[in-house]
């Protein structure tokens, strides 16, 4: 397919991936043929030096996106970085180019408006703090740089505009923000909103406790870590992460709705209630003094007690084990205000909380949990309807029995 010069001059997005490009070609040829290119993919080519890249970029005065991945480049540390060549560049991809951190900082003075920098798989060691460079960067991808540890991350902790940090597959297992105590926020990573920690070695809940110290964190991805894999119940793990990081709105790309956060925090509060009591926790605020060890392991627990009230003894009693057939209740479910909905039968454990029943019905009916009102009627009490008003109580608390009928309204 042939292009006329007039067609080439209109090109804005160009991909030359794996096309054996080894330089700029004839002097001024690119500027003459394609002066309006804004995005160019030169990945997996034969470019060998940063000077060759500069020769190309010098001719593209509107360049905003440049992908140089999989070119084995040499970068100058002696010659000054050119000013003006990359004056409009916003996105730079340097995955698998062999660049070092010192070379990044040296070249970065020539990237005055850069917003996204991708440095995956370069064996990078963050050796010094960026000074007067990378100050405009909003996204930084350091994935698959296995030599990076938590102390190196502190060197990039004060990039003022850094909103997204991608740290997948760097082998990290621990993090600690020494400037922030229990329940406090760190001054590090002040703008960080989205953190990606997939494919790492995170195995301790203390890691999640530390992430709660990040003042702007709203979204987290942390799949394929020992903490989130294995035989553990995935839903419980998700609940505990949500409960431990108070401002999180998205976890593993799934939005956290207010109803899910409420349920997660209540379940977490109940799950560790006995431990809290043994450590010195008490329903009476004046006697509520859990020890330092408990507070370090569960920094948000006291805040959750303030939010929902301290767990009561009745909530924390361990149910006596008995046969599963006696735990399951067969219940009819009716919708008094929805005449088109058929009556159905469900088997539910009598230990199931009202909150969990609402969650089940919400998924079944595609109705938000917050809009559901539950009550029940029993053949033993004809004409009487009992409201299930406390979300935290199990069905057995309200004496719901086999053959009773749940009434669902919204």
């Amino acid at each position: 397919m042939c292009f006329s010069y007039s067609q080439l001059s209109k090109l804005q997005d160009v991909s030359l991936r794996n096309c054996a490009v080894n330089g700029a070609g004839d002097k001024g040829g690119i500027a003459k043929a394609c002066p309006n290119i804004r995005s160019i993919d030169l990945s997996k080519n034969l470019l060998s030096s940063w000077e060759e890249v500069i020769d190309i970029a010098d001719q593209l005065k509107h360049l905003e996106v440049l992908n140089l991945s999989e070119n084995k480049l040499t970068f100058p540390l002696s010659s000054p970085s050119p000013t003006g060549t990359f004056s409009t560049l916003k996105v730079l991809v340097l995955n698998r180019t062999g660049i070092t951190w010192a070379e990044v900082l040296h070249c970065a003075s020539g990237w005055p408006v850069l917003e996204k920098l991708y440095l995956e798989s370069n064996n990078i060691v963050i050796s010094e703090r960026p000074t007067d460079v990378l100050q405009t960067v909003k996204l930084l991808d350091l994935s698959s740089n296995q030599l990076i540890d938590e102390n190196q991350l502190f060197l990039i902790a004060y990039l003022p505009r850094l909103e997204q940090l991608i740290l997948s597959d760097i082998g990290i297992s621990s993090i600690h923000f020494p400037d922030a105590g229990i329940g406090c926020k760190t001054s590090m990573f002040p703008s960080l909103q989205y953190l990606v920690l997939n494919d790492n070695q995170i195995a301790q809940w203390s890691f999640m406790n530390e992430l709660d110290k990040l003042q702007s964190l709203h979204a987290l991805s942390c799949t394929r870590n020992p903490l989130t894999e294995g035989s553990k119940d995935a839903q419980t793990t998700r609940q505990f992460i949500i409960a431990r990081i108070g401002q999180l709105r998205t976890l593993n790309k799934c939005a956290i709705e207010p109803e899910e956060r409420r349920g997660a925090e209540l379940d977490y509060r109940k799950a560790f209630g006995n431990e809290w009591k043994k450590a010195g926790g008490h329903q009476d605020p004046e006697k509520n003094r859990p020890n330092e060890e408990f507070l370090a392991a569960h920094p948000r627990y006291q805040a959750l007690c303030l939010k929902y009230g301290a767990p009561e003894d009745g909530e924390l009693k361990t149910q006596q084990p008995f046969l599963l057939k006696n735990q399951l209740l067969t219940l009819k479910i009716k919708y008094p205000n929805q005449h088109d909905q058929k009556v159905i039968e469900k088997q539910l454990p009598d230990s199931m909380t009202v909150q969990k029943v609402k969650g089940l019905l919400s998924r079944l009916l595609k109705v938000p949990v917050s809009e559901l009102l539950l009550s029940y009627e029993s053949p033993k009490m004809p004409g009487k309807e009992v409201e299930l008003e406390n979300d935290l109580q199990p069905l057995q608390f309200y004496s719901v029995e086999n053959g009773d009928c749940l009434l669902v309204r919204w």
Side-chain angles (χ1 to χ4, degrees):
M1 186 176 182
C2 295
F3 289 94
S4 67
Y5 263 117
S6 62
Q7 287 174 306
L8 287 172
S9 69
K10 291 175 184 174
L11 280 177
Q12 291 193 2
D13 295 326
V14 175
S15 177
L16 295 171
R17 177 175 169 79
N18 204 14
C19 288
V21 175
N22 64 358
D26 296 337
K27 190 170 183 180
I30 299 172
K32 184 179 177 185
C34 311
N36 291 308
I37 288 177
R38 293 180 183 275
S39 172
I40 187 165
D41 182 351
L42 291 170
S43 60
K44 209 168 187 181
N45 278 295
L46 303 176
L47 297 168
S48 61
S49 74
W50 189 244
E51 285 88 350
E52 290 168 359
V53 174
I54 290 170
D55 289 342
I56 295 169
D58 261 336
Q59 301 180 58
L60 300 172
K61 299 304 179 189
H62 305 290
L63 187 63
E64 294 181 4
V65 180
L66 175 60
N67 187 347
L68 296 166
S69 297
E70 297 175 87
N71 288 279
K72 291 302 174 188
L73 299 171
T74 58
F75 295 85
L77 276 176
S78 52
S79 56
S81 191
T83 59
T85 303
F86 301 103
S87 61
T88 57
L89 190 68
K90 292 181 179 175
V91 180
L92 178 58
V93 188
L94 293 170
N95 300 335
R96 298 180 185 84
T97 56
I99 195 168
T100 67
W101 186 250
E103 290 164 349
V104 169
L105 298 188
H106 178 75
C107 295
S109 60
W111 311 330
V113 296
L114 192 69
E115 294 182 358
K116 298 181 179 181
L117 178 59
Y118 297 86
L119 298 170
E120 184 182 322
S121 301
N122 284 305
N123 285 322
I124 279 175
V125 173
I126 301 173
S127 50
E128 57 184 296
R129 184 178 291 195
T131 307
D132 301 325
V133 292
L134 304 181
Q135 303 298 297
T136 57
V137 168
K138 295 180 179 178
L139 181 152
L140 180 60
D141 185 352
L142 292 167
S143 297
S144 301
N145 288 290
Q146 294 276 342
L147 301 175
I148 291 175
D149 61 27
E150 65 173 301
N151 292 320
Q152 292 175 46
L153 293 177
F154 296 154
L155 294 173
I156 57 168
Y158 295 99
L159 291 174
R161 293 186 178 86
L162 187 62
E163 295 176 358
Q164 297 186 52
L165 182 58
I166 305 172
L167 299 174
S168 294
D169 187 34
I170 66 167
I172 195 168
S173 60
S174 63
I175 192 83
H176 175 62
F177 300 109
D179 65 324
I182 293 169
C184 300
K185 299 296 181 187
T186 177
S187 62
M188 298 185 191
F189 299 102
S191 301
L192 188 64
Q193 297 177 21
Y194 182 33
L195 180 60
V196 181
L197 292 165
N198 301 330
D199 300 293
N200 278 297
Q201 300 301 318
I202 301 164
Q204 303 297 325
W205 283 111
S206 57
F207 200 110
M208 298 302 154
N209 294 341
E210 289 296 309
L211 296 186
D212 187 53
K213 295 178 180 180
L214 292 168
Q215 55 188 286
S216 302
L217 188 70
H218 296 313
L220 173 68
S221 287
C222 58
T223 58
R224 298 180 299 279
N225 279 277
L227 189 67
T228 59
E229 296 299 300
S231 59
K232 297 187 193 75
D233 177 6
Q235 186 56 34
T236 300
T237 302
R238 178 179 169 87
Q239 284 188 311
F240 284 2
I241 293 173
I242 291 169
R244 287 173 186 267
I245 307 176
Q247 70 277 24
L248 215 55
R249 294 188 209 138
T250 305
L251 177 56
N252 297 331
K253 298 187 177 179
C254 292
I256 301 165
E257 300 298 339
E259 294 89 353
E260 184 181 14
R261 170 159 292 287
R262 175 181 162 81
E265 290 178 342
L266 288 169
D267 282 355
Y268 175 81
R269 169 180 156 278
K270 182 176 179 180
F272 295 97
N274 283 319
E275 198 178 315
W276 167 77
K277 281 191 75 178
K278 284 177 191 168
H282 200 281
Q283 281 92 355
D284 182 346
E286 293 191 5
K287 297 178 183 175
N288 182 22
R289 295 190 188 88
N291 60 34
E292 286 296 316
E293 189 180 351
F294 179 86
L295 293 176
H298 304 280
R300 291 199 71 229
Y301 199 90
Q302 293 289 76
L304 296 180
C305 287
L306 287 173
K307 186 174 180 180
Y308 299 108
E312 296 174 10
D313 291 342
E315 288 179 72
L316 304 179
K317 278 181 186 168
T318 308
Q319 296 297 319
Q320 292 301 311
F322 46 92
L323 293 173
L324 186 62
K325 65 181 182 182
N326 295 332
Q327 286 180 289
L328 287 176
L329 304 174
T330 302
L331 304 174
K332 289 188 176 66
I333 301 178
K334 289 183 185 173
Y335 314 95
N337 300 340
Q338 313 292 325
H339 301 299
D340 54 333
Q341 294 274 8
K342 290 181 181 175
V343 176
I344 60 170
E345 266 195 8
K346 278 273 179 197
Q347 284 198 320
L348 302 176
D350 66 357
S351 58
M352 195 174 197
T353 63
V354 174
Q355 172 86 14
K356 291 265 176 73
V357 176
K358 284 183 176 180
L360 177 76
L361 291 167
S362 171
R363 290 189 291 276
L364 192 70
L365 301 167
K366 304 289 187 287
V367 176
V369 169
S370 56
E371 293 181 19
L372 293 176
L373 298 172
L374 298 190
S375 56
Y376 85 97
E377 54 188 17
S378 170
K380 293 181 180 177
M381 302 181 292
K384 187 177 179 186
E385 191 175 321
V386 179
E387 277 188 50
L388 308 181
E389 55 193 5
N390 189 337
D391 284 354
L392 304 181
Q393 296 293 0
L395 294 175
Q396 61 195 8
F397 175 83
Y398 289 101
S399 304
V400 180
E401 295 180 354
N402 223 25
D404 288 350
C405 182
L406 280 183
L407 304 172
V408 186
R409 294 181 174 87
W410 66 91

